[in-house]
Amino acid sequence: MVSALYPGFARNLGVSGWAEVQCFLEEDGHPFNCRVNDEEPKGLGFGAAARLVVASGQLRTGRLNGAPVPGTARSVVRFRVEDMEDEVSSWNGPEPTPRTLQLAREIVEQRVSEWQEEYAEDTFDGLDYDRRLIVQQWMNELLPGLEERRVARVITQMARLFDDVQLKAMLSGDTEHVTFEAITPDHFNSAYPTPSPDEEAAFEEVKARYCQRFSCVASEGPPARP
């Protein structure tokens, strides 16, 4: 659950963090009205993500005469970047034909605005809005044509993962027999071409600039409370 809710921008930057969340508890241990007491580093969305982690779980309640009673509880949720470093296997399947690439391109062009919004949301997930414009300016400077690169990659992904019959079905809107469920996130990512050296260097520079201007360092956790 924690890895699934890891804030996207912090994950992409390779930054770890934590947040302390306090919730009211029902008798069965389900938390509600959760609030963030503290988080580090701030501005990366660890607090909001931790609140979702805690609110979706169940906590131990206090007891009175052996019976559970409602109350409150504090939880510290830790997001460790090393837990996210499972290497995605590289693509080892057949390369698509020019016809398959053309079909994939037609599909992507139909939804390019939607997918660009999805990529932007994932790229900046959790990042404070007042910092997004700054980071976007850095990315535009260091990686001109980034949107075009992303579109080209999605075309390759689609062409590698779906055959001509499935791609034609998508174009016609008849997706009943398209096996979307078989395409896991790891499978989809494995069909993603390896970032070029200039892209890797650019993202390292973005991280360096961000961490110099804002905080990327978290303490061990919140101080002990009575």
Side-chain angles (χ1 to χ4, degrees):
M1 176 62 73
V2 172
S3 60
L5 293 173
Y6 208 115
F9 184 73
R11 180 191 63 225
N12 295 334
L13 238 60
V15 174
S16 299
W18 58 262
E20 183 188 68
V21 177
Q22 181 170 326
C23 302
F24 291 96
L25 300 181
E26 296 177 347
E27 289 184 4
D28 62 0
H30 282 94
F32 66 99
N33 284 353
C34 297
R35 72 164 189 261
V36 178
N37 286 339
D38 198 4
E39 62 181 312
E40 289 186 12
K42 291 179 170 44
L44 289 172
F46 287 118
R51 188 168 57 186
L52 289 175
V53 171
V54 175
S56 62
Q58 191 169 6
L59 304 173
R60 183 184 297 275
T61 61
R63 290 183 174 271
L64 179 63
N65 297 326
V69 294
T72 61
R74 286 192 296 266
S75 301
V76 177
V77 181
R78 301 183 186 279
F79 298 84
R80 297 182 176 89
V81 70
E82 54 267 25
D83 296 337
M84 303 295 297
E85 292 180 346
D86 295 334
E87 184 176 351
V88 177
S89 59
S90 59
W91 177 253
N92 56 10
E95 290 301 328
T97 66
R99 174 57 178 161
T100 305
L101 282 168
Q102 179 58 36
L103 289 169
R105 182 173 293 105
E106 292 176 22
I107 293 171
V108 172
E109 287 175 351
Q110 287 181 354
R111 298 184 56 194
V112 64
S113 297
E114 177 184 342
W115 279 343
Q116 284 175 336
E117 289 178 4
E118 291 176 0
Y119 268 113
E121 187 57 36
D122 180 69
T123 299
F124 296 115
D125 176 50
L127 182 64
D128 278 2
Y129 281 95
D130 60 348
R131 301 181 184 182
R132 292 190 180 194
L133 181 60
I134 297 171
V135 175
Q136 184 65 68
Q137 290 173 339
W138 292 339
M139 294 178 70
N140 292 342
E141 171 198 342
L142 297 166
L143 275 176
L146 178 59
E147 296 302 326
E148 290 79 4
R149 296 184 191 215
R150 285 174 168 170
V151 169
R153 285 178 176 169
V154 175
I155 291 170
T156 302
Q157 286 175 309
M158 296 291 292
R160 284 176 166 177
L161 295 175
F162 298 97
D163 60 29
D164 288 11
V165 173
Q166 292 176 315
L167 292 171
K168 289 178 181 177
M170 291 183 211
L171 279 171
S172 67
D174 177 18
T175 59
E176 180 180 356
H177 302 295
V178 180
T179 54
F180 293 109
E181 297 80 5
I183 308 299
T184 66
D186 284 346
H187 193 192
F188 198 76
N189 289 334
S190 72
Y192 199 97
T194 303
S196 61
D198 65 316
E199 288 176 300
E200 293 179 344
F203 282 115
E204 283 299 316
E205 176 62 20
V206 168
K207 178 179 180 179
R209 292 185 185 186
Y210 181 90
C211 294
Q212 183 177 22
R213 181 160 183 168
F214 307 104
S215 174
C216 286
V217 179
S219 63
E220 290 300 314
R225 299 175 185 270

